[in-house]
Amino acid sequence: PSPYHVVRLSDLWRSANRNGPQQAGASMALLEDTTDFFVHNFWLNGPAADTCYNWKQLQRLQNLQYDDFQQRYTQDNQESQLFVLTSQYDNEILACAGVNLCHIDTREMETWSTSAQSTTTAFRSNQPPEACIIPLIGDVAVSRNHRRQGLAKRVVGLVQDYIRYTWPQQEYCFLWVESNNGGALQLYQQLGYR
C-alpha cells in the first residue's frame, strides 16, 4: 500500500458545494492548509526563499496565495486541478502540484523564458503551435522535511496522468519552474521537458 493519500482539491471543492456545509468546511480547511503548506515550502523554504519577509508581508503573501489558489482551483469547471499528497499516517501535506488550461502565445513564452530579468523558466513537452490553449503545470512544492524522496516526480506524474485522461486531445504541456531551482530543472528534463 502507498504511504500517501492523493486529494484532488478541485474535485473535493466541487463535491463539497453539492453535498452540504460539513464537506464544504473540510474543503475550505484543505484549501487553507495547502495555502499555508505552499507558502512555507515554496516561498519561505524553497526556490523562492531568497527574500526575507516581515510579519505584515508574510500575511499579505499568505492572503494573495490563498486568493490565487481559490480563484484557480475552486471554480466549477474542468480547467484546473490541484493535487495534494498527504501522509496516510497523520494527514501531513507532503507535496502539491496543479494544472490549468491556459491560452499561451509561445512566441511570448520564449521571451519570458530567455529574458535576463526572468525568474521562471518555461518548459514544454513538445513544440506547440504559436498560440494555443495548453495545460500549464505549476504550484509544485514538496515539504522541506520530505525532499529527495521522489515526491515531486510522483505528484508531477499524477498531474501528467490527469492531463492525458482529462484532455486526451492535448499534445503539449508547459510547466513553470524557478530558474534558480536546479533540482527541479533536472527533474523536469529527466521527465522529457525541454
Side-chain angles (χ1 to χ4, degrees):
S2 172
Y4 318 113
H5 291 290
V6 178
V7 180
R8 294 179 3 178
L9 179 67
S10 304
D11 287 349
L12 179 65
W13 191 273
R14 291 177 196 117
S15 175
N17 286 336
R18 290 187 295 268
N19 294 327
Q22 185 174 9
Q23 197 169 6
S27 64
M28 181 72 80
L30 181 61
L31 178 63
E32 291 169 358
D33 291 347
T34 304
T35 299
D36 186 58
F37 167 84
F38 189 81
V39 166
H40 284 87
N41 290 284
F42 182 83
W43 292 111
L44 302 179
N45 294 297
D50 57 354
T51 303
C52 191
Y53 300 96
N54 64 37
W55 184 85
K56 190 174 184 177
Q57 291 169 322
L58 182 58
Q59 287 301 109
R60 177 141 170 77
L61 176 61
Q62 191 86 16
N63 291 337
L64 288 171
Q65 190 65 60
Y66 179 86
D67 291 345
D68 177 58
F69 277 3
Q70 185 177 36
Q71 179 183 357
R72 284 191 291 135
Y73 299 121
T74 64
Q75 303 303 312
D76 196 19
N77 61 48
Q78 295 296 318
E79 294 185 358
S80 66
Q81 188 64 258
L82 182 68
F83 288 80
V84 181
L85 283 181
T86 63
S87 168
Q88 73 171 2
Y89 307 111
D90 60 7
N91 287 328
E92 173 189 7
I93 297 176
L94 304 174
C96 67
V99 62
N100 299 284
L101 280 183
C102 296
H103 178 80
I104 297 176
D105 184 331
T106 57
R107 294 166 297 190
E108 291 178 18
M109 188 67 78
E110 289 299 319
T111 302
W112 295 338
S113 65
T114 58
S115 166
Q117 299 164 340
S118 176
T119 60
T120 59
T121 300
F123 281 96
R124 56 182 169 269
S125 56
N126 288 307
Q127 182 64 40
E130 288 183 354
C132 48
I133 296 176
I134 297 179
L136 177 65
I137 299 173
D139 300 323
V140 179
V142 176
S143 168
R144 187 172 76 169
N145 298 328
H146 295 89
R147 292 184 181 154
R148 303 261 180 235
Q149 298 177 20
L151 294 174
K153 186 174 185 178
R154 178 161 169 76
V155 74
V156 170
L158 290 168
V159 172
Q160 290 174 316
D161 290 346
Y162 177 81
I163 291 168
R164 281 190 283 275
Y165 178 78
T166 305
W167 305 297
Q169 74 285 1
Q170 290 291 335
E171 297 179 41
Y172 313 102
C173 176
F174 278 78
L175 61 85
W176 284 114
V177 60
E178 294 293 318
S179 58
N180 66 346
N181 191 346
L185 292 169
Q186 184 178 6
L187 170 67
Y188 300 138
Q189 289 170 342
Q190 289 172 358
L191 292 174
Y193 290 89
R194 300 174 271 157

